[in-house]
Amino acid sequence: MPGRAHTRSALITPARVVIALCLVAPFVAMLWVGSYARTDPALMGIPFFYWYQLLWVLLSTVLTMIAYQLWRRDRRARRSGGAAK
């Protein structure tokens, strides 16, 4: 309501920016096809195109886990009304 003061904390926090970056990075990496549309360097005979994409499967998992842990910490801090440690 326009006449009421906002008592909630800021919606954009450093933790939420990191969460967003962790979740957006795999999409940007996979949509930027020109960066990996080649065969060299091969890794154990596997063309770069394939092992780069498989590497991002693992990196996406790690980044999603980091984002989830940061989200849980942020929610706990907001519920308790204090800063996350």
Side-chain angles (χ1 to χ4, degrees), residues 24-61 63:
V24 169
F27 289 104
V28 172
M30 290 294 95
L31 290 175
W32 186 21
V33 178
S35 69
Y36 63 90
R38 58 181 186 260
T39 57
D40 289 327
L43 180 67
M44 296 184 294
I46 302 171
F48 179 76
F49 178 81
Y50 294 114
W51 67 260
Y52 180 80
Q53 288 184 351
L54 290 174
L55 177 66
W56 270 104
V57 170
L58 298 174
L59 289 174
S60 298
T61 303
L63 290 172

Side-chain angles (χ1 to χ4, degrees), residues 18-20 22-23 62-72:
V18 172
I19 291 168
C22 286
L23 296 176
V62 172
L63 290 172
T64 303
M65 289 182 348
I66 291 169
Y68 176 69
Q69 293 300 323
L70 288 172
W71 180 257
R72 285 182 54 197

